[in-house]
Amino acid sequence: MRDGGSGGSTVSENGDKSDDERGDATPASGAGATAVRRLTGRLRAHRLLSSAVAVAVVAAVAVPLVLAGSGVDAEPCAPVSGTTRALAGDPAAATKALDPGDRMDRIGSAKKLLAHDGFCGDGARVLGRVIDAGTRASGPGKPHTMAQARSAYAVAAALSDREIPAALAPSVARMLAEYEVDALRDDDFGGLGRDDVTGPAVPPAEAALDDHGWVWLGRFLSPGEAHATFEYGDRSADVTADIPDLVAELAKNPEAFAILYDAHRAQLAHCLERLTRQGGDPSYRPGDKYATPTTWTDNDLQDLAGHIGTLMALRSGYAKDGTIQDVAAFDAVVRKHSRGTFRPASHRLTTRPPMGDIADRPTSGPLRGDVMDGRRQMFTVLDRWAKERDVPLERATAMRQLMDDYYVRALWMVSVERSR
């Protein structure tokens, strides 16, 4: 999502204190993580504060903050240089600084730029603006370039398995919203990687439909757009981009939660308005023995419902364990930063906008009803679309049921993971 857009598309300036600028690293998980873990990510508690001895050792190589008048050093933090600050206003330079390259030979530079245990002063906000500048499309209607898509992968890889400062979280969420199709795709791999994905991004040619009207990257893709392959993992270089884990971390922050929730609901409207009257994929070509006209569109709807359910389950879990201390206040901030509702067009659209435009699509009005009733928010949109498009009752009922199944499944799976 782009700076200068409507709603929650600008960096929050809500007066976060210095504690909000800090974020501690958490050790990466092993390759034997469960399937549930791969879907939902870990719901980590904050790491215990380092011992005085460890602080003394780190202080020798980092810049400590000194508490005024106390004579006691605070935890060391990472200062943001003037060179880094300049990147926030120079998108081309920001992309170059974040781009890990096709062979990931420059991933170390991105990690050095982004991955710190804590940021001094406004450092987290500055880094957030660098992420915005380096990964977003250059404007409405503009597709992502290969360098931008690789940079998005680098951000996810650098910040996976880390605690993310409150002031940085909205920008990371906006990056995922900017790559909504890519971030939703195949996250069952959970950072373990896919053998058939050979790099952090793929060129626009990969989005071409096959003989059956299908492409592995997703549906209704914009021509000429590169895609971030967050599924990619390089075990030898210990590089992965664990999107479920990243989402679980971001969901602690109400502004980031609102951005992700908006993006999923915008994607739902985007998908529905491009389906046939029978709720199928208009690109489907007869003769595919492995799929029907609704196979892949059903898969997309299931995934979207599951991701919305996962957000709701994460919120519930964080409320129970005390991470979210005031649920009403959290929900109020989510509503404040939500851009509103997203209503599908009443007729089928054939346009293929780039990913950066999906989450930035115009709203249809304010978000009404219980913000955290994800089922109601989904079904209000689905039912209205089915009525306006005169979708056969049997098909509309089936779509509603499959979305409900995956929404509930996500709620249950996250709850089971937290109880272990």
Side-chain angles (χ1 to χ4, degrees):
M1 299 175 69
R2 304 176 182 88
D3 289 342
S6 60
S9 60
T10 58
V11 175
S12 172
E13 298 292 346
N14 57 3
D16 295 313
K17 303 301 182 183
S18 59
D19 285 347
D20 288 338
E21 303 289 346
R22 302 182 183 279
D24 294 327
T26 302
S29 63
T34 65
V36 173
R37 161 66 185 81
R38 294 199 296 269
L39 173 67
T40 63
R42 289 191 303 277
L43 304 175
R44 300 186 306 275
H46 288 282
R47 189 178 64 178
L48 295 176
L49 294 177
S50 302
S51 67
V53 173
V55 170
V57 171
V58 176
V61 294
V63 180
L65 292 178
V66 178
L67 302 180
S70 68
V72 178
D73 288 349
E75 287 184 84
C77 62
V80 174
S81 69
T83 301
T84 299
R85 288 179 181 276
L87 294 176
D90 188 341
T95 300
K96 185 176 180 180
L98 293 170
D99 185 358
D102 287 328
R103 298 183 179 181
M104 302 296 292
D105 52 309
R106 299 194 300 274
I107 187 62
S109 296
K111 288 184 175 181
K112 183 177 180 181
L113 181 64
L114 296 173
H116 301 282
D117 284 353
F119 297 96
C120 300
D122 66 344
R125 285 196 182 90
V126 172
L127 266 295
R129 291 194 284 270
V130 172
I131 290 172
D132 287 341
T135 61
R136 70 183 180 220
S138 59
K142 301 294 185 181
H144 294 124
T145 66
M146 281 290 288
Q148 290 166 344
R150 289 193 302 261
S151 295
Y153 178 93
V155 171
L159 296 178
S160 292
D161 295 316
R162 302 189 71 88
E163 291 187 9
I164 298 177
L168 180 61
S171 291
V172 180
R174 275 191 291 275
M175 183 276 288
L176 292 182
E178 177 85 2
Y179 292 81
E180 171 74 0
V181 175
D182 296 339
L184 289 177
R185 185 183 58 248
D186 289 342
D187 70 356
D188 285 351
F189 290 90
L192 296 179
R194 285 178 56 149
D195 292 338
D196 59 341
V197 178
T198 59
V202 293
E206 289 284 330
L209 298 175
D210 68 9
D211 293 339
H212 299 291
W214 181 83
V215 60
W216 69 276
L217 289 168
R219 255 57 58 202
F220 315 125
L221 303 180
S222 175
E225 180 158 55
H227 288 265
T229 49
F230 296 116
E231 307 94 319
Y232 174 66
D234 188 330
R235 290 177 173 84
S236 62
D238 192 25
V239 175
T240 58
D242 193 332
I243 297 301
D245 184 86
L246 195 57
V247 168
E249 176 65 21
L250 294 172
K252 300 173 184 176
N253 181 285
E255 185 177 352
F257 187 105
I259 291 168
L260 296 174
Y261 191 21
D262 276 1
H264 297 340
R265 293 182 297 105
Q267 172 72 353
L268 174 60
H270 172 84
C271 287
L272 288 175
E273 65 194 3
R274 285 163 176 80
L275 301 184
T276 66
R277 177 175 168 271
Q278 289 72 35
D281 187 346
S283 298
Y284 173 81
R285 299 166 190 172
D288 187 349
K289 63 181 180 180
Y290 300 108
T292 70
T294 63
T295 297
W296 303 116
T297 55
D298 281 356
N299 186 69
D300 292 341
L301 294 175
Q302 290 168 352
D303 285 348
L304 278 166
H307 283 83
I308 291 174
T310 294
L311 283 179
M312 299 307 156
L314 289 168
R315 165 190 170 270
S316 177
Y318 288 140
K320 289 176 182 177
D321 70 15
T323 300
I324 299 176
Q325 297 183 1
D326 187 333
V327 179
F330 182 93
D331 293 355
V333 176
V334 171
R335 181 180 286 277
K336 174 185 175 183
H337 287 286
S338 171
R339 295 181 55 232
T341 59
F342 302 93
R343 182 182 303 165
S346 58
H347 59 284
R348 187 169 76 84
L349 299 185
T350 59
T351 54
R352 299 292 186 265
M355 284 184 292
D357 287 3
I358 296 175
D360 283 340
R361 66 178 285 143
T363 60
S364 306
L367 193 60
R368 300 185 184 281
D370 184 354
V371 175
M372 297 304 176
D373 185 349
R375 183 188 265 116
R376 179 185 183 279
Q377 297 297 339
M378 291 190 307
F379 290 162
T380 298
V381 171
L382 177 67
D383 293 346
R384 184 186 183 102
W385 167 82
K387 181 178 180 180
E388 291 183 342
R389 293 285 303 278
D390 196 23
V391 176
L393 178 60
E394 182 178 4
R395 174 58 179 155
T397 301
M399 294 170 72
R400 204 177 203 272
Q401 186 61 59
L402 68 88
M403 292 183 71
D404 195 35
D405 289 347
Y406 273 72
Y407 180 83
V408 173
R409 177 176 178 265
L411 291 175
W412 175 78
M413 290 184 75
V414 175
S415 298
V416 168
E417 174 66 12
R418 289 190 58 82
S419 68
R420 292 181 176 178

